[in-house]
Amino acid sequence: MANIKSAVKRIRVNNDSRLRNQALKSDLRTAVKHVETAVSNNDAETAKKALLTASSKIDKAAQGGVIHRNKANRQKSSLTKKVNAIGA
């Protein structure tokens, strides 16, 4: 355990950030799974709505540094291709 006041605070702040990032990442994965489930069920309307939600969550995660911006763009592109494939 840290003895210095600033080190104690650093541990506390890091732990709070870790928990926040963990929650954001979990929410992100769930949103992506909703899109993929809708695509596998060939449900175009649900897939489009889920894609909007997932896209927003992906952008927020990238903005907060939870995932890299290139990964965010890759995920959005991949999901959009899947949704467009069932819509056509």
Side-chain angles (χ1 to χ4, degrees):
M1 185 65 197
N3 293 324
I4 300 169
K5 190 176 180 181
S6 61
V8 172
K9 180 180 179 181
R10 204 64 245 156
I11 290 169
R12 189 175 67 244
V13 169
N14 287 340
N15 193 41
D16 291 345
S17 297
R18 182 182 59 80
L19 292 174
R20 191 178 317 108
N21 289 343
Q22 204 172 35
L24 282 170
K25 205 166 199 178
S26 174
D27 201 26
L28 173 77
R29 287 191 193 118
T30 303
V32 169
K33 283 180 186 176
H34 284 307
V35 175
E36 290 174 345
T37 303
V39 168
S40 67
N41 292 337
N42 288 328
D43 189 357
E45 285 300 314
T46 307
K48 286 180 183 178
K49 289 179 185 175
L51 178 63
L52 285 174
T53 305
S55 191
S56 173
K57 290 181 190 271
I58 290 170
D59 284 335
K60 286 179 183 174
Q63 187 179 16
V66 177
I67 60 172
H68 195 274
R69 59 188 160 82
N70 290 350
K71 179 177 180 173
N73 290 334
R74 224 177 25 248
Q75 271 189 326
K76 288 193 302 184
S77 175
S78 173
L79 290 175
T80 304
K81 281 182 186 177
K82 289 177 185 178
V83 171
N84 288 343
I86 63 166

